[in-house]
Amino acid sequence: MGWFSRKPSPKQVEQVVLPTSAPRSGEADSAREARIFDLGADFLRRARTHKTGLLSAKFYSDALMEWSMKDPEFKVQMFRFVDTFPMLRNRGGEAIFDHLHDYLSQPGVTVPPVINAALKAGGLLKGAAAATIAKQIEGMAGKFIAGTDAASALPGLKTLWDDGIAFSVDLLGETCVSDSEADEYAKKYLDLIQNLPAQVAGWPANPRLESDHLGSVPRVNVSVKISALSARTDPIDTEGAIGDLMKRLLPILETARDRGVFVNFDMEHHALKDFTIELFQRCCEKLDFHAGLAMQAYLKSGPDDARRMADWAKRARRLVTVRLVKGAYWDAETIKSELHGWPCPVWASKWQTDACFEKMTDIYLDACPRSADEAKNGGIKLALGSHNARSIAAAMAGLEARNLPREALELQMLHGMADQLKYAAAELGLRMREYVPVGEMIPGMAYLVRRLLENTSNESWLKAGFLDNADAGQLLRAPAPAANADSAKQPADLLAIAPERHRLTPGVPGVGDGRPFFTEAVRDFSVKAQRDAFAAAIARATVPKIANDRTVDQAKDMIAKADAAFAAWRDTDPRKRAEVLVRTAALMRRQRDGLAGVMIKESGKTWREADADVCEAIDFCDYYARLAVPLFERTRLGKFIGELDETLYQPRGVAAVISPWNFPLAILAGMTTAALVTGNPVIMKPAEQTPGIAAILFDILQDAMKESGIDRTLAQNILHFCPAPGESTGAAIVRDPRVAIIAFTGSKAVGLDILKAAGHTPDEQPFVKKVVCEMGGKNAIIIDTSADLDEAVLAVRASAFGFQGQKCSACSRVIVVDPEGPDGPAISHFTRRLVEASRALTIGDPTLPGTDIGPVIDAESKAKIERYIELGKKESRLELSLPVPAGLEDRTGRAFVGPHIFSHVPESAAIARDEIFGPVVAVLHAKDFADALRIANSSPYKLTGGVFSRKPSHLERAKREFRVGNLYLNRGCTGALVGRHPFGGFGMSGVGSKAGGNDYLLQFVEPRAIAENTLRRGFAPEL
Ligand SMILES: Cc1cc2nc3c(=O)[nH]c(=O)nc-3n(C[C@H](O)[C@H](O)[C@H](O)COP(=O)(O)OP(=O)(O)OC[C@H]3O[C@@H](n4cnc5c(N)ncnc54)[C@H](O)[C@@H]3O)c2cc1C
């Protein structure tokens, strides 16, 4: 079957437009531009006429790629399929065919007729179709990945060397999830560094590749990704993470030093940039090895980063190489910042990246020593990781301008790309190095997908140069906005226009800044200043000492005052009430880290959990403020002449807010502000475990009312703080006949009791109580056979063990699909990886940034969790019981339970059915996806659920059939954001609409309708 294997047409590959003369634009007048053009044109001419460079051209002539570039929808689905492919490969033709069919039948995808015909194939033809696509993808991977290991790549490296091209070997792999994976990766690197020098020692000498103007250049050059060397590469705990990395990195670097091997640190995501620089510098200061670091020009911080590196090299008197690249994660960085509401770290336009590349080139060339003597004082040697002849020519012109020889510059290009340029560079006498990735397809998939994206991007210089055959004038022009672009209209910073783009609420004039709501961004702990400020705030934070001692009589007195003040609050201008919320949000924002610090100390939240709790509290205020105002504006129904029909809402009356300890600020703030902003007085009864943060919130609300000009007595009467025992005072509050609405979040037992109590209506009670009741969960994540396990393992770990599993949304069941049974390869592999990944978690004092697992809320809770662990041991197989470090409980005065994982858990087991509210997860087996859904749905709790699958029809089926309040696909099942993920369940998980959803406030009001006859003696105003 030949659908994908069309021969490249000679026209596509060989048609070239040779540069003629320099373009006559204004910018070319400068001598620099003219020189760049000359150098670039020469380079390009040589490349375009080069005979050996068909490999990369073949990529473009490949039918799959051609279709991908023509049709963005096809490209998305095809690349998603390619990403899934290695997982399917082991499962045979049927699985491959099924998934391909699924992806390409997604709405909006136009399937080329030749594939369409193959997709309609049945029976044996399916196998043939699958084999064809498998061959095609493997061929594509083979273009970018040089072999499964260094040994298999060696003949290719030798051929390169013979052709005058050096190499840097990269062992594919990144973002490992466990210590054992990191150990394995480190072992492979050590092996490579120990053995490769001997293997290449017999190759003929090549002075051009083995020396520069400062001395010798190692023959063996390897590239490492630090995220593959530690499961704790998290800058939040920079010192801890560097310590863990050093354990594996130092032996590698020492061996490299001893064997004269060059080691380059690749640069990964922006979150790791400062961390990687810090690590690199410390390694260089500690050990004298041939060192290199990749730096990225697509970052807005690029020039500052370059100056920082150059200054350090001088200060440390260290000679290092910088591989300057543009950057491989542009899409990912743009998307990540969008999702977090962070400023985008990368330039918005390609020309800005190119301009930054040239600027950084200049900074590094300025830092390049001119002689071996000068090099003793340290400096930077520059290598360019680019396939862009303009970027390269600009650097060559930069050399000339500084009287630096050509040897002072190294060119590096990727395996499988731009072969024409590589050979042209060698011909020009430049030191050319190919970056050669080796490894298996699964760890290599992230790399492969980056290459596919890069090569099919409309912004790619290589595509413009060798597929579109753009002319030299265009290809070599100085980076600048397109000639016809309106320079004032650069692409907007996505963050700046985020509220309007997303419109999670209407923008209400006079409420806040008048713009729609947008979520408060969590802290970016990769930024040192944010980490330091957070640590200082935790150190300063003190938890107010609050006794839970309010009596029933005191509570009744509060209710009486609230009831008496109801009418005045009800009739207060809704905008005033909204102002109170906006000011509350602002006051919380001003002391964000301090509030987090109090929660860390009072409830044992870890840094990120506490920070997210504060953000959510702020969000509830800003969100409900914007939703409440329109609610109290009368809405006209229809436009009947002679009749004015309107609806409006009115508050219900005194609200009892009974909140839990697990989101001690966010949930209390959410329920309280929802009630207040809709005109209901509130009695706040916080959980007994966390009255301190509740007291602070109460004070903030009072301050906000004062700032908003609310009368002091009114403010005191409409909001009461009632820290008290639940069984006595709490129970009395909810039963009081003057309480009109109860907003409760907590356990199923208490929730059901409140519902029952609220159903009793004594004679003196003039209304039926409304109960908004959020209870527990027994949430499941399904792991399908095509799941991306790198993501699934980390997401399950975070969902199950984040805040020690004490979230109603936490994952406590993982249902793994394995057609081969409960001991089949899929479930065994997943369980093993989850166990290993969980072993990498640090149990510790939550005030420290490196702590992943803090204490459970109290000793009573610990005892309950441990009872379940004992049951689990009897019912199933204990796979992990992470020990609590000795002395930790005494040191912190808190109760701890380490993460526990059980496998072979029967559906009937208590740990598969009961809400435990602790770090315990049950792994269950399902024979297929339908079975997984059945098991997931079998719980009476219906709160959150998750599915990891790369089969579109399974995701679609989950949307229809996985019946939970919040379903998460291919992500963890916790961390709902206000406005974006309205949160709440049904079944035994609660009654009422969703917190942070646009109908939440309706529960706190009652609707009224008014019809007015406007006809008077035969006439009406609107006729
Ligand atoms: C030897 C070698 C090693 C490498 N190592 C690393 C590494 O460690 N880390 C890493 O991140 N990358 C690395 N890369 C990948 C490299 O970043 C990409 O190959 C490179 O960006 C392609 O740039 P170019 O100059 O060849 O192509 P060009 O086509 O000139 O530039 C493409 C680049 O422009 C940027 N871009 C695309 N669209 C936009 C836009 N709208 N706005 C702003 N910028 C845009 C992107 O960064 C894109 O990759 C390496 C590359 C080579 C050759």
Side-chain angles (χ1 to χ4, degrees), residues 267 296 323 326-328 349-350 353 386-388 454 461:
M267 190 58 83
Q296 296 158 328
R323 176 205 293 153
K326 288 179 188 160
S349 305
K350 166 72 163 60
T353 296
S386 171
H387 316 99
N388 181 324
E454 186 176 325
W461 187 94

Side-chain angles (χ1 to χ4, degrees), residues 223 225 264-268 294-296 298 323 325-330 346-354 357 384-388 391 412-414 417 433-435 451 454 457 459-463:
S223 295
K225 288 198 172 49
N264 190 84
F265 289 31
D266 284 0
M267 190 58 83
E268 301 176 61
M295 298 289 282
Q296 296 158 328
Y298 66 6
R323 176 205 293 153
V325 301
K326 288 179 188 160
Y329 309 84
W330 188 86
V346 294
W347 300 108
S349 305
K350 166 72 163 60
W351 72 266
Q352 294 172 304
T353 296
D354 291 339
F357 190 87
L384 295 186
S386 171
H387 316 99
N388 181 324
S391 306
Q412 301 189 355
M413 296 185 193
L414 298 177
M417 286 171 65
R433 188 178 303 282
E434 182 169 293
Y435 182 94
R451 294 290 81 78
E454 186 176 325
S457 158
E459 301 281 7
S460 161
W461 187 94
L462 214 47
K463 178 169 167 281

